[in-house]
Amino acid sequence: MRKKIIAGNWKMNTDLNSGLELAKNVSQKVDEFAFNSDEFGMIVSPPFTHIHAIGNVLSSKIGLSSQNVAEWSNGAYTGEISAQMVKSIGANYAILGHSERRSYFGEDNQVLFTKLKLTLENNLTPIFCIGEVLEEREENKQFDVVKSQIDEVLFKLDVVDFKKVIIAYEPVWAIGTGKTASPEQAQEIHAYIRKIVADKFGANVADNTTVLYGGSCKPSNADGLFSQPDIDGGLIGGAALNADDFVQLLKQLVANK
Ligand code: PGA
């Protein structure tokens, strides 16, 4: 059965000291909480600069992720960080295609497919983000938008690689805005995502695909979201910067599944 996950996206927040402090606090709270780690997982995604140091203080129950990788494997790309570098400092996951990367850095489906391949080649598990902007939601285009984001990137993988991917549905209008999708809105899209995965790769693969929800998810609204059958956890921004809230979300996930 698919794994249920709480993943924290720290974005460009914390310096090394405050990042280490946060990772230690989260680790301590997670270690005090007994849960089945085959069924549930927790991941943190600090800035590149902290990943290595955080790996040294992080609970063994928590996975470590980058927030991006370069679209090249190595060479003269000043300022870029490759998937291989990320892997070599102890990370096992990489967030790809976050809406902030798509909108501020112009990452399109073609670039994301290249990044996806490099991520998989370096044995990092991709956390691949999809989701519509407000205008698209208002025009009821959310289904078409997520379908094309999946078709043009994830469905270009073979089934063996596709099965390694974690999908994160993040309606862009809900990210950092305090506006969450209602549990029904989120469930509707998650069920649709699972349906198109089933159409492409079969019901068994769809059943085993983890689909996270992201966008202003916090303890006060998580129960409604996590109790939905096709929501397998969350990709958490703001609330991942508070150790109590972040670990509380894991507890709520476990309680709702
Ligand atoms: P948020 O961010 O929880 O602060 O809305 C989620 C994300 O961007 O991954």
Side-chain angles (χ1 to χ4, degrees):
M1 201 49 186
R2 57 186 179 264
K3 196 148 181 174
K4 316 293 189 304
I5 295 170
I6 298 292
N9 174 10
W10 293 9
K11 309 193 181 185
M12 199 174 73
N13 292 298
T14 70
D15 62 13
L16 181 59
N17 284 334
S18 59
L20 280 168
E21 207 51 41
L22 176 58
K24 284 183 199 162
N25 283 336
V26 169
S27 292
Q28 191 190 345
K29 291 174 199 301
V30 167
D31 283 337
E32 285 164 7
F33 175 52
F35 64 98
N36 177 351
S37 52
D38 290 332
E39 204 180 333
F40 296 95
M42 190 168 233
I43 300 168
V44 292
S45 310
F48 286 127
T49 44
H50 317 357
I51 291 175
H52 184 59
I54 284 179
N56 291 331
V57 301
L58 200 62
S59 161
S60 59
K61 292 183 183 171
I62 305 177
L64 192 53
S65 177
S66 69
Q67 299 170 17
N68 182 30
V69 298
E71 64 182 286
W72 308 278
S73 46
N74 64 285
Y77 300 103
T78 302
E80 289 291 293
I81 310 277
S82 71
Q84 187 190 0
M85 294 172 187
V86 169
K87 182 72 187 181
S88 76
I89 55 170
N92 289 308
Y93 299 83
I95 296 174
L96 296 179
H98 190 278
S99 67
E100 288 149 19
R101 300 291 323 167
R102 291 177 190 261
S103 66
Y104 304 149
F105 303 97
E107 295 188 4
D108 59 17
N109 291 338
Q110 205 180 334
V111 165
L112 289 172
F113 183 67
T114 308
K115 292 187 174 200
L116 183 66
K117 292 292 284 179
L118 287 166
T119 299
L120 289 163
E121 278 164 23
N122 286 284
N123 296 315
L124 293 164
T125 298
I127 302 171
F128 188 75
C129 305
I130 56 176
E132 80 285 356
V133 300
L134 182 59
E135 205 175 59
E136 293 162 338
R137 168 67 63 166
E138 285 171 348
E139 292 169 8
N140 206 32
K141 287 188 181 150
Q142 62 273 23
F143 298 102
D144 295 342
V145 171
V146 301
K147 181 159 193 317
S148 69
Q149 289 169 333
I150 291 176
D151 262 343
E152 290 170 30
V153 188
L154 297 183
F155 284 176
K156 286 166 70 183
L157 297 174
D158 63 24
V159 66
V160 174
D161 276 343
F162 178 83
K163 283 160 79 174
K164 299 172 184 162
V165 176
I166 297 167
I167 298 175
Y169 168 65
E170 301 204 298
V172 180
W173 47 273
I175 295 178
T177 57
K179 281 189 213 160
T180 329
S182 71
E184 295 72 26
Q185 282 175 321
Q187 166 58 26
E188 184 183 35
I189 285 269
H190 281 238
Y192 175 73
I193 293 166
R194 209 174 302 285
K195 181 193 173 299
I196 60 177
V197 173
D199 291 345
K200 173 80 177 174
F201 291 120
N204 189 41
V205 172
D207 247 10
N208 283 294
T209 302
T210 298
V211 187
L212 308 179
Y213 168 81
S216 297
C217 181
K218 49 185 182 280
S220 58
N221 58 29
D223 285 334
L225 292 160
F226 296 165
S227 57
Q228 301 299 317
D230 288 295
I231 297 180
D232 305 319
L235 180 55
I236 314 297
L241 297 171
N242 177 298
D244 286 323
D245 285 353
F246 189 52
V247 178
Q248 174 59 27
L249 286 168
L250 175 66
K251 292 180 180 172
Q252 287 176 250
L253 183 65
V254 170
N256 276 287
K257 294 294 175 191

Coordinates of all heavy atoms in Angstrom, one line a residue, residues 7-9 11 95 98-100 129 170 174-179 214-218 235-240, ligand 1:
A7 N 5.9 16.1 4.3 CA 7.1 16.6 3.8 C 7.2 18.1 4.0 O 6.2 18.8 3.8 CB 7.3 16.3 2.3
G8 N 8.3 18.6 4.6 CA 8.4 20.0 4.9 C 9.3 20.7 3.8 O 10.4 20.3 3.6
N9 N 8.7 21.7 3.2 CA 9.5 22.5 2.3 C 9.9 23.8 3.0 O 9.0 24.7 3.1 CB 8.6 22.8 1.0 CG 9.3 23.7 0.0 OD1 10.5 24.0 0.1 ND2 8.5 24.2 -1.0
K11 N 11.7 26.2 1.9 CA 12.0 27.3 1.0 C 13.2 28.1 1.4 O 14.2 27.5 1.9 CB 10.7 28.2 0.9 CG 9.5 27.4 0.7 CD 8.3 28.2 0.3 CE 7.1 27.3 0.1 NZ 5.9 27.9 -0.4
I95 N 12.6 17.8 -4.4 CA 11.4 18.5 -4.8 C 11.6 19.0 -6.2 O 12.6 19.7 -6.5 CB 10.9 19.6 -3.9 CG1 10.6 19.1 -2.5 CG2 9.7 20.4 -4.4 CD1 10.3 20.2 -1.4
H98 N 8.2 22.8 -8.2 CA 7.4 23.6 -7.3 C 6.9 24.9 -8.1 O 7.6 25.4 -8.9 CB 8.2 24.1 -6.1 CG 7.4 24.7 -5.0 ND1 7.0 26.0 -5.1 CD2 6.8 24.2 -3.9 CE1 6.2 26.3 -4.1 NE2 6.0 25.2 -3.3
S99 N 5.7 25.3 -7.7 CA 5.1 26.4 -8.5 C 6.0 27.7 -8.5 O 6.0 28.5 -9.4 CB 3.7 26.8 -8.0 OG 3.8 27.3 -6.8
E100 N 6.8 27.8 -7.4 CA 7.7 29.0 -7.3 C 8.8 28.8 -8.3 O 9.3 29.8 -8.9 CB 8.2 29.2 -5.9 CG 7.1 29.7 -5.0 CD 7.2 29.3 -3.5 OE1 8.2 28.8 -3.1 OE2 6.1 29.4 -2.8
C129 N 5.8 18.4 -8.1 CA 4.7 19.3 -7.8 C 3.9 19.7 -9.1 O 4.5 20.0 -10.1 CB 5.1 20.6 -7.2 SG 6.1 20.3 -5.7
E170 N -0.5 20.9 -5.5 CA -0.5 22.2 -4.8 C -1.2 23.2 -5.6 O -0.6 23.8 -6.5 CB 0.9 22.6 -4.5 CG 1.8 21.6 -3.8 CD 2.9 22.3 -3.0 OE1 3.8 22.9 -3.7 OE2 2.9 22.2 -1.8
A174 N -3.5 28.5 -3.3 CA -3.5 28.1 -1.9 C -2.1 28.2 -1.2 O -2.0 28.0 0.0 CB -4.1 26.7 -1.7
I175 N -1.1 28.4 -2.0 CA 0.3 28.3 -1.4 C 0.6 29.6 -0.7 O 0.7 30.7 -1.4 CB 1.3 28.0 -2.5 CG1 1.1 26.6 -3.1 CG2 2.7 28.1 -2.0 CD1 2.0 26.2 -4.2
G176 N 0.9 29.6 0.6 CA 1.3 30.7 1.3 C 0.3 31.8 1.4 O 0.6 32.9 1.8
T177 N -1.0 31.6 1.0 CA -2.0 32.6 1.0 C -2.9 32.5 2.2 O -3.8 33.4 2.4 CB -2.9 32.4 -0.3 OG1 -3.4 31.1 -0.3 CG2 -2.0 32.6 -1.5
G178 N -2.9 31.3 2.9 CA -3.8 31.1 4.0 C -5.1 30.5 3.5 O -6.0 30.1 4.2
K179 N -5.3 30.5 2.1 CA -6.5 29.9 1.5 C -6.2 28.4 1.2 O -5.4 28.1 0.4 CB -6.8 30.6 0.2 CG -7.5 31.9 0.2 CD -7.9 32.3 -1.2 CE -7.8 33.7 -1.4 NZ -7.7 34.2 -2.7
G214 N -0.6 20.1 -1.0 CA 0.1 21.2 -0.5 C -0.6 22.6 -0.7 O -1.3 22.7 -1.7
G215 N -0.5 23.5 0.2 CA -1.1 24.8 0.1 C -1.8 25.2 1.4 O -2.9 24.7 1.7
S216 N -1.1 25.9 2.3 CA -1.6 26.4 3.5 C -2.2 25.3 4.4 O -3.1 25.5 5.1 CB -2.7 27.5 3.3 OG -2.1 28.6 2.7
C217 N -1.6 24.1 4.3 CA -2.0 23.0 5.2 C -1.4 23.2 6.6 O -0.2 23.5 6.7 CB -1.5 21.7 4.6 SG -2.0 20.3 5.6
K218 N -2.2 23.1 7.6 CA -1.7 23.4 9.0 C -2.5 22.5 10.0 O -3.6 22.0 9.5 CB -1.7 24.9 9.3 CG -3.0 25.6 9.0 CD -2.8 27.1 9.3 CE -4.1 27.8 9.0 NZ -4.4 28.1 7.5
L235 N 2.6 18.3 1.6 CA 3.8 19.1 1.4 C 3.6 20.4 2.0 O 2.7 21.2 1.6 CB 4.1 19.2 -0.1 CG 5.4 20.0 -0.5 CD1 6.6 19.4 0.2 CD2 5.6 20.0 -2.0
I236 N 4.3 20.7 3.1 CA 4.0 21.7 4.0 C 5.1 22.8 3.9 O 6.3 22.6 4.1 CB 4.0 21.2 5.5 CG1 3.3 19.8 5.6 CG2 3.5 22.2 6.5 CD1 1.8 19.9 5.3
G237 N 4.6 24.1 3.7 CA 5.6 25.2 3.7 C 5.6 25.9 5.1 O 6.4 25.4 5.9
G238 N 4.8 26.9 5.3 CA 4.9 27.7 6.5 C 4.9 26.9 7.8 O 5.7 27.1 8.7
A239 N 4.0 25.9 7.9 CA 3.9 25.1 9.1 C 5.0 24.2 9.4 O 5.2 23.7 10.5 CB 2.5 24.4 9.1
A240 N 5.9 24.0 8.3 CA 7.1 23.1 8.5 C 8.2 23.9 9.2 O 9.2 23.3 9.6 CB 7.6 22.6 7.2
Ligands
PGA1 P1 2.5 26.7 2.4 O1 3.5 26.1 1.2 O2 2.2 25.5 3.2 O3 3.2 27.7 3.1 O4 1.3 27.2 1.6 C1 3.3 24.9 0.6 C2 4.4 24.7 -0.5 O5 4.6 25.7 -1.2 O6 4.9 23.6 -0.7

